[in-house]
């Protein structure tokens, strides 16, 4: 069972991508942001919503942490984890050493940088340190880049911060083409 804590933009992209695969995993979502969680549970038979964050932790073997970095301490310090669980954090800027403190006694912890293209199964997701659970999760959503060290991982993270500007630039070009009479799909 895959459990997600934090059901915002990137979590919704991950859940959609996983649920559209041929063999979707069973997924349990944290209840906050009820509208998004309800939409996902309504759209996909493999997805349901738990009563609390702790209920997600109790049901999941693999936990995906998708809250904003500023919420990490408050969210994680309220939870009781099990040593045998596997945790994958997508939170930018929270280092592995800090995750180990916050997720005690979990031993297997990985960081990942998924991007919204995972919703279409076309992600390219850096992982550090890679493990079988994290690799399996993100290989279902496209490609995985196994990064050697955390400094390099943080460089990937910084690079992804340029994505929004890049797509905005492409959108402006496309909008300009459409304004000149090119069909929007072709533009
Ligand atoms: N968006 C991306 O493309 C992207 C890519 C890579 C990594 N990330 C990382 O992913 C994380 C989430 O980003 P996002 O863009 O998905 O942000 P987001 O849309 O704001 O999602 C965060 C979610 O966490 C929820 N939340 C806050 N406190 C909570 C709590 N105590 N218990 C359970 N849920 C709680 C928020 O609910 P409320 O709205 O009610 O506060 C919100 O639904 C960030 O750490 C970011 O660094 C994002």
């Amino acid at each position: 069972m895959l459990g997600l804590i934090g059901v915002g933009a990137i979590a919704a992209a991950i859940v959609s991508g996983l649920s559209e695969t041929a063999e979707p995993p069973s997924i349990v979502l944290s209840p906050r942001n009820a509208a998004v969680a309800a939409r996902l549970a309504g759209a996909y038979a493999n997805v349901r919503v738990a009563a609390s964050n702790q209920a997600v932790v109790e049901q999941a073997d693999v936990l995906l942490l998708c809250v904003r970095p500023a919420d990490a301490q408050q969210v994680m310090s309220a939870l009781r984890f099990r040593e045998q669980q596997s945790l994958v954090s997508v939170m930018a800027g929270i280092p592995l050493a800090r995750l180990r403190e916050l997720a005690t006694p979990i031993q297997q912890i990985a960081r990942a940088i998924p991007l919204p293209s995972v919703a279409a199964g076309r992600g390219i997701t850096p992982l550090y340190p890679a493990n079988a659970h994290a690799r399996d999760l993100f290989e279902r959503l496209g490609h995985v880049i196994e990064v050697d060290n955390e400094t390099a991982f943080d460089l990937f993270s910084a690079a992804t911060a340029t994505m929004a500007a890049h797509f905005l630039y492409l959108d402006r070009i496309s909008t300009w083409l459409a304004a000149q009479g090119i069909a929007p799909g072709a533009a």
Side-chain angles (χ1 to χ4, degrees):
M1 174 75 74
L2 172 65
L4 273 78
I5 310 265
V7 186
I10 199 65
I14 292 168
V15 170
S16 298
L18 291 172
S19 300
E20 298 282 348
T21 57
E23 291 181 25
S26 296
I27 298 174
V28 58
L29 304 177
S30 57
R32 180 155 158 178
N33 210 332
V36 178
R39 175 174 64 75
L40 292 166
Y44 302 114
N46 57 307
V47 179
R48 59 193 165 77
V49 185
S52 67
N53 290 352
Q54 185 60 41
V56 173
V57 175
E58 277 158 23
Q59 293 169 55
D61 314 302
V62 180
L63 284 166
L64 194 54
L65 203 56
C66 299
V67 295
R68 292 179 292 264
D71 295 326
Q73 163 137 15
Q74 190 202 355
V75 171
M76 295 180 74
S77 61
L79 297 172
R80 291 181 310 284
F81 300 101
R82 301 188 303 282
E83 189 173 355
Q84 297 75 18
Q85 288 178 306
S86 185
L87 177 84
V88 182
S89 165
V90 307
M91 297 183 298
I94 309 277
L96 199 57
R98 181 66 179 137
L99 292 169
R100 290 204 183 288
E101 290 171 359
L102 291 170
T104 300
I106 297 182
Q107 300 295 310
Q108 188 175 73
I109 301 179
R111 297 179 65 191
I113 315 170
L115 292 173
S117 53
V118 293
R122 296 174 63 188
I124 300 176
T125 306
L127 287 183
Y128 175 77
N131 63 55
H133 289 117
R135 191 182 294 121
D136 173 62
L137 182 60
F138 288 104
E139 280 182 344
R140 290 170 181 243
L141 297 170
H143 297 284
V144 161
I145 300 174
E146 298 190 14
V147 183
D148 289 340
N149 61 72
E150 197 159 32
T151 301
F153 182 87
D154 286 334
L155 292 173
F156 275 102
S157 184
T160 64
T162 66
M163 294 289 277
H166 175 67
F167 283 113
L168 186 64
Y169 176 62
L170 297 182
D171 180 62
R172 288 291 154 84
I173 296 170
S174 170
T175 302
W176 174 77
L177 279 172
Q180 309 310 308
I182 305 292

